[in-house]
Structure formats: structure tokens, C-alpha cells
Amino acid sequence: MIGTEAFPDLLSSFSTNYNARDTDRTTNLKLAANKINGTVLMPGETFSYNQVVGARTIAAGYKEAPIYVQGQVVDGLGGGICQITSTLYNAVLYANLEIVERSNHQFVPSYVTASRDATVVYGSIDFKFKNNRNYPIKLICSVANGVASFQIFGLKTDNEYEVVISSYETGRTSNAIYSEAYKILKQNGQVVDKQLLSRDVYKRH
């Protein structure tokens, strides 16, 4: 019931690209995005992707699309919605919100680089973050014309940080890719903090 005047400032945004010609996968992206769009989190409140999006079922309108299962790419119900999770994850990082739960994919996905993804499996793997700011935030999500986009609105304060995300591969073997990601906080152009976000291992195709 909070009006838009409570969210005057754009705290962060992030977009990824998808193949709009893949209509089943696009349907899944839009269904997940529509569930999240407009979500408001009060200070101290935790967002659960699986709780907000719900079960990915035929009754909910989800289609079969490629997913990763035990190292293989197979068709599965709700395939593709991890792109929405990953896009949201990056927007959350840039808004300097607290990550509560995040897991990487088995393989590096096509829409983000290594250590910039977040996978979900209903009932077992969730993506959660906490609004650790002093004011409510609002999530705006759109899926259109090959672009999935998140914007996080709220109220900026005088001591806002500039957030830089640094991610890179740290090694490769014949069957694995190793990577890590850091969140760097700056004020007045000076680095004031550097935090390890994750160290991840992916299978190679």
C-alpha cells in the first residue's frame, strides 16, 4: 500500500539478454518476472525467490525449456527462470543489499559471466537477500524485446557507496572452471571496502 513517493531514487539496475524467438523459455521468464515485479521489502525483511515466484507448474503456465540436470542439458518445466534470478542477483549486488542465500549453476550460463549467476530449484535451492537499508525498497522487473531488466528503487542517503563488482576466472582444468567475485565499495572515488562474494566451481561442457 506504500505509494511511489516512498521510492524516489533508483538504487541500481541490471539487464541480461535472452532469445525472444524461444517462445516457451520467454514465457517462463515473463511468468517469473511478473511475480516479482512491484515487490516491496521493508527494512530488515528478507526476499525469498522461491516463496515469491512459487512452484513452477503446468497449472501456473510454465513451459518446457532447457535446464541443467546432473551435468546434462535437458528439457524441464520452467526452464530459463534462473536468468531472472541471476539478473536480480546482480541488481541486488549493485544496490549493496545483503545476500542471504545464493548458489551457482553447474555450468556457466550464457547470459552472465562466471560468479555472476544465481540458480534456484523449487523446494531445495533458493535465492534470498535482505533489505539491510533503513528504508523500504521496491523491485521493478520487465521482460521484453530480448532484454530482462531489474530496477531497485528506494531512498538514497548521504553516505551511499559506489558499488563495483569484480569477477574473474581463477583457473581451469579439463573438466572444471574456477572463479570468484568481489564487491568493492567506493566513496569519493576511494576504495573503502572489498568483500569476497563467492568462490565457485563450474563444470565444463
Side-chain angles (χ1 to χ4, degrees), residues 65 71 107:
F107 299 96

PDB file of all heavy atoms in Angstrom, residues 65 71 107:
ATOM      1  N   ALA A  65      11.472 -26.073 -21.171  1.00  0.00           N
ATOM      2  CA  ALA A  65      12.610 -25.386 -21.780  1.00  0.00           C
ATOM      3  C   ALA A  65      13.876 -25.974 -21.179  1.00  0.00           C
ATOM      4  O   ALA A  65      13.838 -26.607 -20.118  1.00  0.00           O
ATOM      5  CB  ALA A  65      12.524 -23.880 -21.540  1.00  0.00           C
ATOM      6  N   GLY A  71      24.533 -32.529 -14.764  1.00  0.00           N
ATOM      7  CA  GLY A  71      25.557 -32.304 -15.773  1.00  0.00           C
ATOM      8  C   GLY A  71      25.082 -32.396 -17.201  1.00  0.00           C
ATOM      9  O   GLY A  71      25.877 -32.318 -18.132  1.00  0.00           O
ATOM     10  N   PHE A 107      26.908 -25.211 -14.816  1.00  0.00           N
ATOM     11  CA  PHE A 107      27.690 -24.670 -15.924  1.00  0.00           C
ATOM     12  C   PHE A 107      27.582 -23.147 -15.895  1.00  0.00           C
ATOM     13  O   PHE A 107      26.604 -22.593 -15.381  1.00  0.00           O
ATOM     14  CB  PHE A 107      27.161 -25.182 -17.268  1.00  0.00           C
ATOM     15  CG  PHE A 107      27.206 -26.674 -17.435  1.00  0.00           C
ATOM     16  CD1 PHE A 107      26.089 -27.450 -17.174  1.00  0.00           C
ATOM     17  CD2 PHE A 107      28.362 -27.307 -17.849  1.00  0.00           C
ATOM     18  CE1 PHE A 107      26.110 -28.831 -17.329  1.00  0.00           C
ATOM     19  CE2 PHE A 107      28.404 -28.684 -18.010  1.00  0.00           C
ATOM     20  CZ  PHE A 107      27.280 -29.455 -17.744  1.00  0.00           C
TER      21      PHE A 107
END
